[in-house]
């Protein structure tokens, strides 16, 4: 199967200078989530229709890594979803299989859900299938029309009669079409509607008239059918994804004392019996061990690894850092590009000055170290096992504190050496 992702629209309702599909959820563009699901489904030939903000979308696609092969199709003028698909027709020359169509603004769907949809499509013998979704508030979506249970058309909201308005089964915007059915029916639709656009959804009624076998398979849960048209949608979808991640971690033995006030990006691993306190923000690619305490008010940034039994307390930010087991960093600390050994105690107010304006430098602290409150490490710095720093010490760039040594002052000097002189 091949796929088309529609990403040319301007996303007017976002009121933004950035193309809609590049708006981010947990630091990743909406479109990236869509492409990831397609890749996981094993669909690795994808035509992406771009237009509005096309240069930006194209450079995002170029930078994206992975095995998925995307081919760019331009829609120079955005004349509707049907028109966007027409623009991709040439790119399908000689292809007669099924085409999965996916709007670039639908990032919440799960791989398993899509697999069920693909299976339903196959076993039903339909030539065209639509993934529908139950929505208590169907505003903004196309409605699924059925007669005697049989699906026969999609009606866009602006064109709905009063009765149709009340229909709560809506179009997710995800379809499977046999390619000849798709392109033939597209030739027969007209922009005769309130928006003067070619609606892809008008092809369904055309196909029903041509005795094509159509099916609409409803999603079990409405959440996954949530698209993004506005900033309000963006907030809601972010919350849906966040709660999904939190439920996953709860199921594997993690406590969240205030799940509604905690933020966990997809792609985080957390060991059992770890407790996460409110207002903690955890970015992707973070790994937290077992039996840790995190937060309240902790920010754990990308690529950070925290060993088991470690406590990361209030107003602590960790960035690309690696903390060992049973480390205590309980208050008011920034650790960037740092490596902290097992059992080390980081005093309140400790800061790594890891950026010199050009480059980031590392701070390497050994095991069982006692860092005095308000210590500043001007990286690069190396601190041996069992060493200590006094309160307020400023450890200047390039310093190497050896095993068991005690450094104090501003700039910090070796306490023992000074005494013996
Ligand atoms: C569309 C569907 C609607 C469905 C909803 C689900 C149509 C006419 N309506 O409405 O039935 O319930 O999605 O989310 O298809 N795009 C282009 N070129 C264009 C216009 C749009 O590439 O000329 C892209 C957009 O970038 C977007 C996708 O197509 O990713 C859907 O467009 P959008 O304007 O968001 O459609 P909806 O109003 O949400
Ligand atoms: Ca949409």
């Amino acid at each position: 199967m091949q796929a088309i992702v529609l990403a040319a629209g301007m996303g007017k309702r976002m009121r933004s200078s950035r193309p809609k599909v590049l708006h981010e959820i947990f630091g990743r563009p909406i479109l990236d989530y869509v492409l990831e699901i397609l890749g996981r489904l094993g669909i690795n030939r994808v035509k992406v229709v771009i237009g509005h903000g096309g240069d930006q979308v194209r450079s995002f696609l170029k930078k994206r890594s992975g095995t998925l092969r995307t081919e760019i199709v331009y829609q120079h003028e955005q004349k509707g979803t049907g028109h966007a698909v027409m623009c991709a027709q040439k790119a399908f020359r000689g292809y007669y299989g099924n085409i999965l169509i996916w709007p670039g603004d639908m990032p919440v769907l799960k791989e398993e859900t899509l697999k069920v949809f693909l299976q339903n499509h196959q076993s039903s013998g339909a030539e065209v299938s639509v993934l529908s979704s139950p929505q208590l508030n169907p505003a903004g979506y196309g409605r699924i029309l059925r007669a005697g249970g049989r699906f026969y058309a999609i009606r866009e909201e602006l064109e709905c009669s009063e009765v149709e308005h009340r229909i709560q089964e809506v179009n997710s915007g995800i379809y499977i079409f046999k390619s000849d059915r798709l392109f033939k029916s597209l030739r027969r639709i007209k922009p005769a509607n309130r928006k003067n656009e070619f609606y892809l959804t008008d092809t369904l009624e055309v196909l029903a008239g041509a005795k094509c076998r159509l099916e609409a398979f409803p999603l079990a849960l409405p959440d996954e059918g949530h698209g993004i048209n506005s900033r309000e949608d963006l907030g809601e979808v972010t919350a849906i994804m966040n709660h999904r991640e939190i439920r996953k971690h709860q199921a594997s033995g993690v406590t969240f004392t205030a799940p509604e006030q905690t933020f966990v990006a997809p792609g985080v691993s957390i060991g059992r019996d770890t407790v996460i306190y409110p207002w903690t923000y955890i970015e992707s690619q973070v790994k937290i061990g077992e039996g840790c305490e995190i937060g309240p008010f902790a920010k754990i940034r990308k690529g950070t690894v925290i060993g088991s039994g470690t406590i990361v307390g209030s107003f602590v930010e960790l960035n690309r850092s690696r903390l060992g087991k049973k480390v205590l960093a309980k208050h008011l600390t920034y650790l960037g590009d740092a490596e902290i050994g097992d059992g080390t105690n980081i005093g309140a107010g400790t800061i790594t000055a890891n950026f010199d304006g050009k480059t980031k430098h590392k701070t390497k602290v050994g095991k069982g170290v006692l860092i005095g409150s308000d210590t500043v490490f001007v990286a690069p710095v190396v601190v041996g096992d069992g060493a200590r720093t006094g309160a307020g010490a400023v450890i200047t760039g390039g310093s190497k504190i050896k095993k068991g040594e005690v450094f104090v002052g501003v700039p910090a000097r070796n306490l023992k050496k000074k005494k013996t002189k």
Side-chain angles (χ1 to χ4, degrees):
M1 172 141 24
Q2 296 199 18
I4 305 179
V5 172
L6 304 180
M10 83 154 161
K12 201 172 172 186
R13 292 162 278 186
M14 294 297 281
R15 306 205 184 287
S16 176
S17 56
R18 189 192 286 211
K20 176 167 71 177
V21 294
L22 294 187
H23 278 264
E24 294 182 349
I25 298 175
F26 287 113
R28 267 175 69 196
I30 299 170
L31 181 58
D32 200 40
Y33 288 91
V34 170
L35 296 175
E36 187 194 324
I37 311 166
L38 287 170
R40 289 228 212 110
L41 284 171
I43 299 174
N44 35 36
R45 295 200 53 189
V46 179
K47 320 263 190 269
V48 185
V49 184
I50 67 174
H52 185 84
D55 291 346
Q56 282 162 272
V57 181
R58 198 184 52 186
S59 70
F60 158 73
L61 289 172
K62 269 194 174 164
K63 270 189 281 168
R64 203 182 174 271
S65 54
T67 52
L68 188 104
R69 272 197 17 221
T70 53
E71 189 181 320
I72 289 169
V73 171
Y74 270 96
Q75 183 194 23
H76 294 287
E77 241 185 297
Q78 285 72 59
K79 297 193 239 171
T81 49
H83 180 255
V85 176
M86 285 180 217
C87 294
Q89 180 169 5
K90 265 194 201 151
F92 283 101
R93 194 174 292 150
Y95 177 75
Y96 302 101
N98 286 327
I99 298 177
L100 177 68
I101 300 183
W102 198 312
D105 62 357
M106 288 275 297
V108 204
L109 274 133
K110 287 200 234 161
E111 184 191 341
E112 306 90 77
T113 309
L114 256 296
K115 280 192 176 146
V116 172
F117 175 56
L118 300 184
Q119 276 159 13
N120 284 340
H121 170 75
Q122 245 162 17
S123 55
S124 68
E127 291 171 276
V128 177
S129 295
V130 176
L131 184 65
S132 69
S133 94
Q135 293 290 339
L136 277 178
N137 174 14
Y141 293 98
R143 310 297 202 272
I144 298 288
L145 306 190
R146 294 178 184 268
R150 282 220 74 83
F151 164 55
Y152 71 92
I154 298 173
R155 186 84 71 235
E156 288 310 305
E157 173 150 285
L158 287 176
E159 320 298 322
C160 277
S161 69
E162 213 178 299
V163 179
E164 289 165 347
H165 245 274
R166 277 182 248 129
I167 296 174
Q168 288 173 311
E169 184 185 6
V170 306
N171 171 26
S172 72
I174 294 174
Y175 326 77
I176 302 171
F177 280 91
K178 263 186 85 177
S179 63
D180 57 333
R181 287 294 201 178
L182 174 64
F183 295 116
K184 274 185 196 155
S185 61
L186 277 171
R187 267 179 243 134
R188 298 192 37 207
I189 62 168
K190 295 188 180 73
N193 51 53
R194 299 266 289 270
K195 281 188 164 174
N196 295 319
E197 285 186 356
F198 291 92
Y199 290 157
L200 175 59
T201 44
D202 282 350
T203 58
L204 283 307
E205 203 160 7
V206 169
L207 288 164
K211 300 274 177 291
C212 170
R213 278 216 54 193
L214 306 179
E215 292 287 351
F217 297 106
L219 283 167
L221 299 166
D223 273 2
E224 287 188 62
H226 205 316
I228 298 172
N229 292 327
S230 61
R231 304 273 181 165
E232 188 180 338
D233 291 328
L234 185 64
E236 283 169 6
V237 165
T238 305
I240 290 170
M241 286 199 181
N242 188 38
H243 295 145
R244 179 191 285 176
E245 292 307 311
I246 287 176
R247 277 197 301 274
K248 200 174 76 190
H249 294 297
Q250 286 171 327
S252 62
V254 179
T255 294
F256 292 85
T257 61
E260 298 292 319
Q261 283 80 33
T262 307
F263 309 90
V264 183
V268 168
S269 87
I270 308 177
R272 56 199 282 174
D273 293 322
T274 283
V275 180
I276 316 270
Y277 292 94
W279 307 113
T280 293
Y281 189 94
I282 304 176
E283 295 184 353
S284 66
Q285 295 159 42
V286 164
K287 287 199 178 81
I288 298 174
E290 294 185 7
C292 295
E293 288 176 38
I294 311 290
F297 299 100
K299 184 177 186 192
I300 320 284
R301 294 173 57 189
K302 238 182 190 171
T304 292
V305 178
I306 298 173
S308 295
T310 284
I311 301 181
V312 175
S314 39
F315 307 102
V316 173
E317 175 171 340
L318 305 178
N319 193 14
R320 292 182 306 271
S321 288
R322 192 171 268 275
L323 275 57
K325 292 179 191 153
K326 296 196 171 162
V327 171
L328 303 179
K330 292 173 76 168
H331 344 258
L332 303 160
T333 284
Y334 171 66
L335 300 175
D337 301 298
E339 210 176 288
I340 311 290
D342 297 347
T344 284
N345 189 326
I346 314 272
T350 297
I351 301 287
T352 55
N354 59 325
F355 187 47
D356 63 11
K358 280 193 196 117
T359 319
K360 308 257 165 78
H361 300 280
K362 292 206 155 77
T363 299
K364 209 170 166 229
V365 176
K367 294 181 187 170
V369 173
L370 196 65
I371 313 283
S373 290
D374 239 338
T375 295
V376 177
F377 291 111
V378 184
V381 165
V382 177
V383 181
D385 293 349
R388 290 166 161 242
T389 67
V394 174
I395 317 292
T396 47
S399 295
K400 282 201 173 81
I401 301 182
K402 293 195 197 105
K403 218 173 169 177
E405 282 180 345
V406 182
F407 269 58
V408 300
V410 182
R413 63 190 198 281
N414 189 333
L415 194 62
K416 202 168 150 209
K417 273 184 191 157
K418 192 91 183 175
K419 267 188 193 159
T420 51
K421 258 179 197 172

